[in-house]
Amino acid sequence: MKILLSMAVLFLALPALSLAAAPLVAVDVGHGIQDGGAISARGRHEFEFNREFAGRLADTLRQHDLGVREVNFDGRIASLLARPEAAAGSDFFISIHHDSIGEAWLLPWEWEGQPQTHTEVKRGYGIFVSAQNPDLATSLRCASTIGALLRRAGFGPSTWHARKHVAADAQNGVWYYDNLVVLYRTTLPAVLFEAGVIKHKEEEMELRDPERQARMADTVATGIAACLFVRDVPPTTGVQGGK
């Protein structure tokens, strides 16, 4: 893992790196108009969170000299299978989501006169990969690089996923979720990114903060760029990352 973080730090230190054709990243907005996804602690649909962050991520990826293919930004793709199909021909696929929690862990509260539910036990980001992905090695490398940089930037991974998922890189918040259609029904290396838990009252507000969104988007974009641009760094090269 220190090698992965070293790769990312090396990338940050080489802004003038000579590049071939820029990699193309497919950014998928999870859920849509018909299926809004989870409901936040204040009653907002997950799709709105997903679309907002995906837009920031797409802009930031372009600033990192990566190509972007927007998938489901209008919220009209209803089929899960249609998402990786729309991403075909890209070099990497990332599906943007925001997390919730099971009914058993929800507490009642009221927001603006309306009954809502929230959680106090789960917060933090999560990154998922499928062992059935056709390029698992790249998927894992990119997921761990993104997670390592998120931790380095001060974002915390959720440990809650250990209840249901096998760890791929628990320290950096990477978990196996093998039967996700968007991760295994594709020809691309792919990850699903849960930016945070919208059922957590405090984290919901953090996730809506434009400055924090921009900082997280820049970190994720840097991780993707480091993974796709810097592929083979010798173990002794670069700065050693810490825990």
Side-chain angles (χ1 to χ4, degrees):
M1 191 49 54
K2 290 185 177 181
I3 294 173
L4 289 172
L5 188 54
S6 297
M7 288 170 58
V9 174
L10 175 64
F11 173 79
L12 289 168
L14 296 174
L17 189 67
S18 177
L19 305 173
L24 179 61
V25 180
V27 179
D28 169 54
V29 179
H31 298 285
I33 294 173
Q34 293 184 353
D35 169 22
I39 303 294
S40 78
R42 292 170 176 80
R44 190 184 192 218
H45 279 96
E46 179 191 348
F47 172 66
E48 299 300 324
F49 288 87
N50 297 343
R51 181 166 57 181
E52 198 168 79
F53 182 75
R56 288 192 179 275
L57 178 60
D59 290 343
T60 310
L61 285 165
R62 294 184 181 104
Q63 293 168 14
H64 283 70
D65 297 320
L66 287 155
V68 174
R69 176 170 288 161
E70 297 181 355
V71 178
N72 195 43
F73 273 55
D74 62 2
R76 298 186 183 280
I77 297 182
S79 165
L80 290 176
L81 185 57
R83 296 167 186 267
E85 289 176 348
S90 304
D91 297 290
F92 187 73
F93 180 90
I94 180 168
S95 187
I96 303 302
H97 287 257
H98 287 71
D99 214 353
S100 185
I101 195 170
E103 292 283 340
W105 302 96
L106 292 175
L107 301 170
W109 79 307
E110 188 174 291
W111 173 253
E112 295 186 340
Q114 297 296 319
Q116 302 289 352
T117 56
H118 73 100
T119 184
E120 296 178 350
V121 298
K122 180 183 179 184
R123 64 174 296 155
Y125 73 84
I127 307 172
F128 294 94
V129 297
S130 171
Q132 301 179 52
N133 182 272
D135 190 351
L136 178 59
T138 303
S139 300
L140 285 169
R141 185 176 70 247
C142 289
S144 287
T145 303
I146 293 166
L149 285 178
L150 283 167
R151 289 180 57 243
R152 185 170 181 261
F155 297 102
S158 173
T159 59
W160 194 260
H161 302 299
R163 299 169 65 90
K164 291 185 177 181
H165 300 283
V166 175
D169 176 7
Q171 182 181 32
N172 290 314
V174 184
W175 306 88
Y176 284 108
Y177 200 153
D178 292 345
N179 63 346
L180 285 175
V181 172
V182 295
L183 296 184
Y184 77 87
R185 293 294 295 273
T186 178
T187 59
L188 313 174
V191 302
L192 185 145
F193 179 61
E194 299 270 12
V197 181
I198 56 176
K199 274 296 188 185
H200 190 285
K201 288 189 291 186
E202 288 75 23
E203 187 163 47
E204 177 189 7
M205 297 309 294
E206 293 171 8
L207 290 163
R208 297 193 68 173
D209 177 61
E211 183 177 337
R212 186 183 187 276
Q213 287 176 357
R215 189 163 59 88
M216 176 174 267
D218 182 68
T219 305
V220 173
T222 300
I224 294 173
C227 175
L228 297 181
F229 280 144
V230 185
R231 294 181 181 273
D232 298 302
V233 177
T236 56
T237 301
V239 180
Q240 292 295 309
K243 292 184 178 181

